[in-house]
Amino acid sequence: MGHLKRLRIFIGFLKDKASLIKTTFSTKRQTSSIRRAVLRATSHRTSTPPSNNRIATVLSFGHGSRTRASACIQALMDRLHATRNAFVALKCLFTIHNIITRGSFILKDQLSIYPSYGGRNFLNLSMFRDSSDPGTWELSSWVRWYACVLERNLTVSRVVGYYVSSPKSSKKMNDDNEEKVLALLSSDLLRELDALVGSVEEISDVPSSLNLQRNNLVHEVVGLVGEDYRLIQHEIFLRVGELGERLTSLSREELTQFLDTLKRLEDCEDRLLRLFVNRYKNHGLWNSIHETTMKIMVVAVNKNVQEKALMKIWRKDKSSELSGQSFQLTSSDTWLGLDRIPLSLSTAR
């Protein structure tokens, strides 16, 4: 098994060299340097994550023209979709993740509109399998999970209107986001909360082989996803707090939607604790969720009692109204709404 693994690594090394040589002699000089940078950041070296310098080189293509940014995303996607190697696929996804968290706006924009026809699962890795050996087969589940996490990340960003996994560079940006949340309609808050909780659900749906976190590359991946989770927690906390202040003004349907969303989030707690051992616990968030859940149930019960009382009053008023109408009918010249018809007799001769 060790001999086969070394052989596979050597073959991968030769493939990288051949690809680099091919780009060197490419007639498309404007894009050849971009493709070389992508190849170097996503080499076949097994458990070594891309270095900061390699990632920085890829990110630098987002500070030029839109054409160069588009070529960078295209090269990265071509590399991702052409490989059947789990380590190369993870490195491609890791590089994409760094674009989302650290890249320029123009680079993120090109990523968010790829492919041009849009659609769900644009990374197209739901069927990814590396069957080289049991280890890479197991690692393939992490590739599929990571792709789903990144796809959901971009979806959430479109819903809330900004990249939630990009650390806010100033206090003003944080304040602006908080003011935006306060100004939203309750229906919009519920929609955004639903999207954010969906992202947490995707993160918590982690492969069972958590022992693979000992792998350097997987460890780096989990670390980056953990930072996303920390920022998403803050976004959820803001919306849960604001909706909690509006409970009495929410309709029965909105209360039900809010409660269901919080229940979905609570169902993720144990899996998240296993994934992020001793990290990102954020007891304040979970306490707020548990307390808000209880408040929703109390408000829902009160609304139900009030509605039943109103219904009882309405039925009583309606019954009195019908009783009055019946009295008028029987005391008039008509019987149950029918006019009396005079009876005329005729005799046949």
Side-chain angles (χ1 to χ4, degrees), residues 12 25 61 65 78 109 126 159 161 165 169 192 199 212 218 223 232 260 299 348:
F25 292 100
F61 297 118
S65 66
D78 288 346
D109 184 56
S126 58
V159 171
S165 60
S169 58
E192 291 186 358
S199 186
L212 278 181
V218 174
I232 290 171
D260 288 346
V299 171

Side-chain angles (χ1 to χ4, degrees), residues 8 83 122 158 183 196 214 227 238 243 245 264 290 308 323 331:
R8 183 169 59 85
T83 189
F122 79 98
R158 284 193 288 268
L196 289 162
R214 291 195 298 267
E227 284 300 310
L238 289 177
L243 284 167
E245 296 293 327
R264 285 165 47 207
H290 300 326
K308 285 184 177 180
S323 176
S331 62

Side-chain angles (χ1 to χ4, degrees), residues 244-300:
E245 296 293 327
R246 305 183 188 184
L247 287 182
T248 55
S249 65
L250 298 181
S251 67
R252 177 189 291 272
E253 291 75 17
E254 288 173 332
L255 285 171
T256 301
Q257 182 183 350
F258 191 16
L259 184 61
D260 288 346
T261 303
L262 294 185
K263 287 292 186 182
R264 285 165 47 207
L265 186 58
E266 287 180 319
D267 289 342
C268 299
E269 186 175 6
D270 290 340
R271 285 174 290 171
L272 291 167
L273 290 175
R274 288 197 298 270
L275 176 61
F276 305 117
V277 180
N278 298 324
R279 293 180 293 170
Y280 316 116
K281 289 185 177 181
N282 199 345
H283 295 297
L285 170 64
W286 293 107
N287 289 338
S288 175
I289 290 169
H290 300 326
E291 290 173 4
T292 305
T293 299
M294 297 303 298
K295 288 179 181 178
I296 293 172
M297 296 175 70
V298 170
V299 171

Side-chain angles (χ1 to χ4, degrees), residues 4-16 42-48 78-93 125 127-133 135-144 215 217:
L4 291 175
K5 187 174 181 179
R6 286 193 296 272
L7 179 61
R8 183 169 59 85
I9 294 171
F10 180 69
I11 292 173
F13 174 78
L14 292 179
K15 286 181 178 180
D16 288 343
T42 59
S43 65
H44 281 76
R45 293 181 182 178
T46 53
S47 61
T48 305
D78 288 346
R79 176 70 160 165
L80 176 63
H81 293 148
T83 189
R84 291 294 177 267
N85 183 286
F87 291 104
V88 173
L90 270 180
K91 290 177 185 180
C92 288
L93 295 173
L125 293 176
M127 300 300 291
F128 183 88
R129 300 287 189 281
D130 183 348
S131 55
S132 303
D133 58 57
T136 56
W137 179 267
E138 197 172 31
L139 192 64
S140 297
S141 62
W142 285 84
V143 173
R144 298 190 297 274
N215 178 286
L217 180 55

Side-chain angles (χ1 to χ4, degrees), residues 84-331:
R84 291 294 177 267
N85 183 286
F87 291 104
V88 173
L90 270 180
K91 290 177 185 180
C92 288
L93 295 173
F94 186 80
T95 305
I96 290 171
H97 201 164
N98 274 275
I99 289 174
I100 297 173
T101 57
R102 299 164 49 195
S104 66
F105 174 80
I106 188 173
L107 207 55
K108 293 177 184 177
D109 184 56
Q110 291 300 308
L111 177 63
S112 65
I113 63 175
Y114 181 94
S116 59
Y117 53 80
R120 190 171 181 272
N121 192 29
F122 79 98
L123 292 176
N124 197 28
L125 293 176
S126 58
M127 300 300 291
F128 183 88
R129 300 287 189 281
D130 183 348
S131 55
S132 303
D133 58 57
T136 56
W137 179 267
E138 197 172 31
L139 192 64
S140 297
S141 62
W142 285 84
V143 173
R144 298 190 297 274
W145 168 77
Y146 198 18
C148 289
V149 168
L150 295 182
E151 285 168 356
R152 188 59 70 103
N153 186 310
L154 292 172
T155 299
V156 170
S157 297
R158 284 193 288 268
V159 171
V160 302
Y162 52 87
Y163 291 94
V164 295
S165 60
S166 296
K168 309 302 180 289
S169 58
S170 67
K171 184 178 183 298
K172 184 179 183 304
M173 289 180 65
N174 278 311
D175 292 341
D176 289 345
N177 288 340
E178 291 181 13
E179 289 181 9
K180 170 185 174 292
V181 169
L182 294 175
L184 285 173
L185 296 173
S186 296
S187 57
D188 292 330
L189 280 173
L190 287 168
R191 180 173 57 87
E192 291 186 358
L193 182 62
D194 176 75
L196 289 162
V197 170
S199 186
V200 174
E201 287 178 313
E202 209 70 71
I203 291 172
S204 69
D205 192 23
V206 65
S208 58
S209 53
L210 291 176
N211 60 297
L212 278 181
Q213 289 192 64
R214 291 195 298 267
N215 178 286
N216 291 337
L217 180 55
V218 174
H219 180 77
E220 290 294 323
V221 164
V222 172
L224 209 53
V225 172
E227 284 300 310
D228 282 0
Y229 172 56
R230 181 180 64 82
L231 294 169
I232 290 171
Q233 281 183 323
H234 176 69
E235 300 290 339
I236 290 174
F237 184 79
L238 289 177
R239 287 157 180 81
V240 169
E242 178 59 23
L243 284 167
E245 296 293 327
R246 305 183 188 184
L247 287 182
T248 55
S249 65
L250 298 181
S251 67
R252 177 189 291 272
E253 291 75 17
E254 288 173 332
L255 285 171
T256 301
Q257 182 183 350
F258 191 16
L259 184 61
D260 288 346
T261 303
L262 294 185
K263 287 292 186 182
R264 285 165 47 207
L265 186 58
E266 287 180 319
D267 289 342
C268 299
E269 186 175 6
D270 290 340
R271 285 174 290 171
L272 291 167
L273 290 175
R274 288 197 298 270
L275 176 61
F276 305 117
V277 180
N278 298 324
R279 293 180 293 170
Y280 316 116
K281 289 185 177 181
N282 199 345
H283 295 297
L285 170 64
W286 293 107
N287 289 338
S288 175
I289 290 169
H290 300 326
E291 290 173 4
T292 305
T293 299
M294 297 303 298
K295 288 179 181 178
I296 293 172
M297 296 175 70
V298 170
V299 171
V301 168
N302 289 338
K303 279 184 178 289
N304 189 43
V305 170
Q306 291 172 3
E307 288 179 4
K308 285 184 177 180
L310 289 172
M311 183 60 70
K312 187 175 181 180
I313 293 172
W314 180 85
R315 286 174 177 171
K316 184 177 180 180
D317 291 343
K318 197 69 176 175
S319 176
S320 299
E321 181 182 345
L322 291 173
S323 176
Q325 291 176 353
S326 175
F327 174 78
Q328 290 175 3
L329 286 172
T330 56
S331 62

